[in-house]
Amino acid sequence: IIFFFFQFTSSSKMQVRASHLLIKHQGSRRPASWKDPEGKEITKRTLADATAQLEAFRQDIAAGKADFATLARQHSDCSSASAGGDLGMFGRGQMQKPFEDATFALKVGEMSGIVSTDSGVHIILRTA
């Protein structure tokens, strides 16, 4: 019983830190962003286009041709772009489930594949 209690309380309070690069598309729940407030470009962007753009960014980062934070500042549709995509610390239940599950599954320093949520498509870098 004590082990179960420790395991439950430890995992329920666990927090991670991550950065992400979000690309919104015409199916996003809010098809507008800080760089496209009226959604003129986002509403033209298909899920396939957004995914292809992110996959190219992911390949450039993995190959050392680009820096995650720099690409997030330039291209992310999230307001966290100004912080290089940094979302700070968060725990379970604070993010959309697919995003949360992907982040908690990563090791520190590991980058995700493409993660789709109601907000759009993301690549995630777990930083703590």
Side-chain angles (χ1 to χ4, degrees):
I1 295 176
I2 293 172
F3 173 74
F4 173 77
F5 176 74
F6 174 76
Q7 188 177 26
F8 176 76
T9 56
S10 296
S11 63
S12 65
K13 293 182 181 178
M14 181 181 171
Q15 292 205 324
V16 296
R17 185 173 190 159
S19 295
H20 78 132
L21 199 164
L22 167 68
I23 302 295
K24 292 186 174 190
H25 53 81
Q26 56 197 202
S28 296
R29 68 178 175 181
R30 192 178 82 74
S33 76
W34 66 272
K35 62 182 194 167
D36 185 10
E38 295 178 23
K40 290 180 181 178
E41 295 302 314
I42 293 170
T43 55
K44 294 177 192 172
R45 188 180 304 135
T46 66
L47 172 60
D49 291 341
T51 301
Q53 186 178 9
L54 262 189
E55 189 54 48
F57 292 153
R58 189 180 183 290
Q59 289 175 7
D60 286 349
I61 294 163
K65 295 178 183 177
D67 174 69
F68 192 101
T70 300
L71 287 178
R73 278 186 195 92
Q74 295 170 347
H75 301 284
S76 183
D77 284 313
C78 181
S79 60
S80 68
S82 63
D86 184 16
L87 295 169
M89 299 296 288
F90 61 89
R92 294 249 182 223
Q94 293 182 271
M95 299 289 175
Q96 293 177 55
K97 187 78 169 131
F99 188 96
E100 173 187 297
D101 289 346
T103 305
F104 275 82
L106 295 170
K107 295 177 180 147
V108 174
E110 192 174 16
M111 184 172 49
S112 73
I114 306 298
V115 177
S116 185
T117 69
D118 290 343
S119 296
V121 288
H122 316 248
I123 50 175
I124 305 164
L125 178 64
R126 181 159 169 193
T127 56

